[in-house]
Amino acid sequence: MKDHLVIFDTTLRDGEQSPGASMTKEEKIRVARQLEKMRVDVIEAGFAAASPGDFEAIRAIAETIKESTVCSLARASEKDIERAGESIQHAARKRIHTFIATSPIHMEKKLRMSPGQVLEQAVKAIGWARQYVDDVEFSAEDAGRSDIDFLCRIFEAVIKAGATTLNVPDTVGYNFPTQYADTLRQLLERVPNADKVIWSVHCHNDLGLAVANSLSAVLAGARQVECTINGLGERAGNASLEEVVMAVRTRADIFPVETRIDTTQIVPASKLVSQITGYPVQPNKAIVGANAFAHESGIHQDGVLKHRETYEIMRAEDVGWSQNKLVLGKHSGRNAFKSRLAELGVVLESEDALNSAFARFKELADKKHEIFDEDLHALISDEAVTPDQEYYKLNYSRVCSETGELPHARVTLTVGGQERAAESDGSGPVDATFKAIEKVVDSGSELLLYSVNAITTGTDAQGEVTVRLSRRGRVVNGQGADTDIVIASAKAYLNALNKLHSSQGKVNPQGGV
Ligand code: KIV
Ligand code: ZN
């Protein structure tokens, strides 16, 4: 019998801390539903004290998700823990995750607290959290650069206070697999009652070692891995869920553990998160990259045709690649549309919302004939925009582009209820369109990234555009999809502007108590 390895997904919390990756409540619910379908054990739904919007999103996830534990993050302060407790009070299974930094540099420079004060605060935090839930996780932030004797003392104290999972984060991605495994081994040996709790790892990817470090810790006795879809997360990201899960499964000869993940849901989850956050997946990314199972060289193709295992250690269908199937077409009816959305975890609240989504689906099916799951996700992302999230709206756009002439664009927008129009030349049709939009809105923002991806294959595919804008230190990603990429670009630009317009500041949990 193998031990169970708990898969703790933090895409909605640490993943969301990536620049511009913030998600709306509806988007978070869609991701949470997909994680539940994938049979993730614990979903870290967010940091409740970050903003009222984050609190509401956690509460909605807690009310929706039944099979996975819903976890709410809190700094080691009474106020944060109260917010975390309230945010998950209706969850079927709930956890509070509280943390405080334990490395000399964090304690001295960030917290300005002595080790004794940090230890005392950690113990109090567990007591506060236990008033709301029995399942309490404690993290020693920057454990990867903390003194091992101090780690032993603080972990011993929080076990006594009632923590049930102890997390050893390599917050800054500084550790090395053999060293990190040694830290885990020492903790398991030296901390009294270490066998009464679950030891967890949370690794960042600054040196590209997050997955290697997590797996080496599993071999040393860790039984929970914290990870994210596509490795999304602060800076270089977190350990990627798909790599951890598939390594454990593919190398069952090495790992004494197994997960309960439905691996066929991995690729759909990857696509959903990429589509919602606007973070593209690199083609050569393990497991979920477009080339992960593509064999270019003749020798490899020949080998795979003769016997798949000559060059493949996993089957594409086992991680969900075959799920990219044609689902609906021009003649599909309202019921087929509704039930496919339900299978994708999308529940439209009202008949009106369903009717309007169905009308847009018919428009798309007229242009494109074959509709895939990715098209439906893009359509629903557009549909989910509520009027208060749409201060700027595209009414009309026209571009003239001809050989030897500068492209010229004209746009008509609604800005706060009033119609405004402008025209501009540009070096290309997209440039001209963005310049015309800026003539109307004069946003003062800086364009950091513009990228286009075909959502599916074929020249009739929808282009999915991501635009990253920054203004006064705030970074947002906007998405837009359309079979016409200039219109998709205009939608993405306005989506980003709307986010800048409506976004309130959020507190970053790791900024200190
Ligand atoms: O990286 C980190 O230390 C964290 C903690 C909040 C667990 O994200
Ligand atoms: Zn982290």
Side-chain angles (χ1 to χ4, degrees):
M1 261 298 269
K2 292 198 169 201
D3 281 358
H4 176 60
L5 180 65
V6 176
I7 296 297
F8 175 115
D9 180 279
T10 182
T11 308
L12 295 172
R13 199 278 299 168
D14 217 327
E16 213 214 5
Q17 285 174 222
S18 314
S22 64
M23 302 172 226
T24 63
K25 181 172 96 178
E26 290 70 25
E27 289 168 341
K28 287 184 183 179
I29 294 173
R30 279 163 63 200
V31 172
R33 283 207 171 105
Q34 177 61 27
L35 295 173
E36 181 182 42
K37 195 168 177 187
M38 199 164 66
R39 296 171 51 79
V40 156
D41 298 281
V42 185
I43 299 173
E44 187 161 58
F47 171 48
S51 72
D54 285 68
F55 177 88
E56 280 309 324
I58 302 170
R59 190 154 68 177
I61 292 170
E63 283 169 3
T64 308
I65 298 301
K66 301 287 171 248
E67 301 299 327
S68 310
T69 297
V70 178
C71 172
S72 192
L73 181 74
R75 291 168 296 194
S77 86
E78 195 167 5
K79 225 121 209 43
D80 268 28
I81 290 171
E82 188 185 320
R83 290 295 276 164
E86 283 169 6
S87 69
I88 50 170
Q89 63 177 318
H90 299 300
R93 299 156 204 255
K94 46 190 160 186
R95 172 182 296 189
I96 291 178
H97 175 192
T98 185
F99 72 98
I100 192 162
T102 51
S103 63
I105 184 167
H106 274 230
M107 290 192 287
E108 193 188 321
K109 305 285 182 213
K110 180 175 90 169
L111 300 178
R112 297 182 201 287
M113 286 167 86
S114 68
Q117 289 171 318
V118 165
L119 192 145
E120 205 179 302
Q121 191 72 15
V123 169
K124 279 191 196 154
I126 304 303
W128 294 320
R130 287 296 303 240
Q131 290 172 6
Y132 298 93
V133 289
D134 294 334
D135 184 350
V136 174
E137 172 169 339
F138 171 75
S139 281
E141 189 190 10
D142 204 15
R145 292 187 300 171
S146 301
D147 173 64
I148 188 77
D149 294 332
F150 182 54
L151 281 181
C152 288
R153 283 207 289 133
I154 197 163
F155 281 136
E156 176 181 357
V158 294
I159 294 177
K160 260 197 207 132
T164 46
T165 296
L166 302 188
N167 187 30
V168 187
D170 180 17
T171 304
V172 292
Y174 177 70
N175 281 196
F176 189 76
T178 44
Q179 169 206 4
Y180 192 55
D182 188 52
T183 302
L184 261 291
R185 232 172 260 119
Q186 287 204 50
L187 291 170
L188 265 91
E189 270 167 30
R190 291 178 49 188
V191 174
N193 295 316
D195 58 331
K196 306 279 184 307
V197 293
I198 293 196
W199 290 87
S200 165
V201 288
H202 174 115
C203 297
H204 280 268
N205 207 28
D206 299 68
L207 291 172
L209 292 171
V211 171
N213 282 337
S214 305
L215 293 175
S216 70
V218 170
L219 291 176
R223 291 294 176 261
Q224 172 174 290
V225 174
E226 302 197 353
C227 44
T228 57
I229 302 293
N230 300 336
L232 196 68
E234 281 267 5
R235 307 180 309 280
N238 289 58
S240 103
L241 179 146
E242 57 278 8
E243 293 176 25
V244 169
V245 168
M246 290 314 290
V248 165
R249 180 179 145 138
T250 308
R251 297 311 308 269
D253 56 327
I254 294 181
F255 289 98
V257 294
E258 57 195 3
T259 75
R260 58 171 207 140
I261 295 294
D262 175 355
T263 59
T264 63
Q265 293 303 323
I266 285 179
V267 169
S270 160
K271 291 190 173 189
L272 180 64
V273 168
S274 169
Q275 206 158 30
I276 284 178
T277 58
Y279 269 68
V281 176
Q282 76 195 57
N284 58 330
K285 164 84 177 63
I287 323 288
V288 293
N291 292 352
F293 292 87
H295 296 278
E296 184 63 29
S297 99
I299 299 175
H300 286 203
Q301 285 175 354
D302 184 53
V304 170
L305 287 176
K306 283 185 179 135
H307 188 78
R308 191 185 55 79
E309 282 164 22
T310 49
Y311 284 101
E312 269 185 15
I313 57 166
M314 296 167 278
R315 296 187 324 163
E317 55 271 37
D318 288 350
V319 296
W321 275 108
S322 58
Q323 305 242 333
N324 180 15
K325 56 183 187 293
L326 166 68
V327 288
L328 296 172
K330 199 174 150 76
H331 301 295
S332 304
R334 202 165 164 283
N335 274 344
F337 175 70
K338 189 178 169 186
S339 49
R340 187 61 204 159
L341 286 185
E343 278 168 41
L344 292 177
V346 178
V347 181
L348 292 171
E349 302 301 339
S350 65
E351 277 299 293
D352 278 358
L354 178 65
N355 290 341
S356 125
F358 185 60
R360 301 205 27 239
F361 158 74
K362 282 286 181 186
E363 256 172 52
L364 181 62
D366 266 343
K367 290 191 219 158
K368 178 166 192 289
H369 309 302
E370 297 177 327
I371 307 288
F372 295 84
D373 285 348
E374 292 87 338
D375 292 311
L376 293 180
H377 278 303
L379 188 131
I380 292 306
S381 293
D382 275 4
E383 199 59 43
V385 175
T386 57
D388 61 312
Q389 293 163 343
E390 208 167 29
Y391 183 76
Y392 303 108
K393 188 168 180 291
L394 179 71
N395 297 338
Y396 170 82
S397 133
R398 183 172 65 90
V399 190
C400 266
S401 177
E402 59 184 297
T403 321
E405 296 292 328
L406 272 184
H408 185 82
R410 178 182 166 79
V411 295
T412 307
L413 311 178
T414 304
V415 180
Q418 289 193 348
E419 190 160 280
R420 312 253 305 270
E423 316 196 4
S424 175
D425 289 339
S427 57
V430 172
D431 187 48
T433 304
F434 285 7
K435 284 187 171 135
I437 293 176
E438 273 302 331
K439 273 194 179 165
V440 175
V441 303
D442 191 17
S443 72
S445 60
E446 188 192 347
L447 179 69
L448 300 183
L449 174 139
Y450 169 77
S451 85
V452 192
N453 273 310
I455 294 189
T456 53
T457 51
T459 48
D460 69 346
Q462 293 200 84
E464 182 183 47
V465 175
T466 300
V467 165
R468 186 172 302 159
L469 296 181
S470 131
R471 186 169 67 195
R472 292 190 285 279
R474 267 204 67 71
V475 179
V476 293
N477 280 346
Q479 279 83 44
D482 201 283
T483 47
D484 177 330
I485 60 163
V486 179
I487 294 179
S489 303
K491 284 185 188 170
Y493 198 83
L494 291 172
N495 182 238
L497 287 177
N498 279 320
K499 286 187 181 169
L500 278 179
H501 181 77
S502 65
S503 58
Q504 311 143 345
K506 286 204 211 205
V507 178
N508 182 318
Q510 290 167 272
V513 185

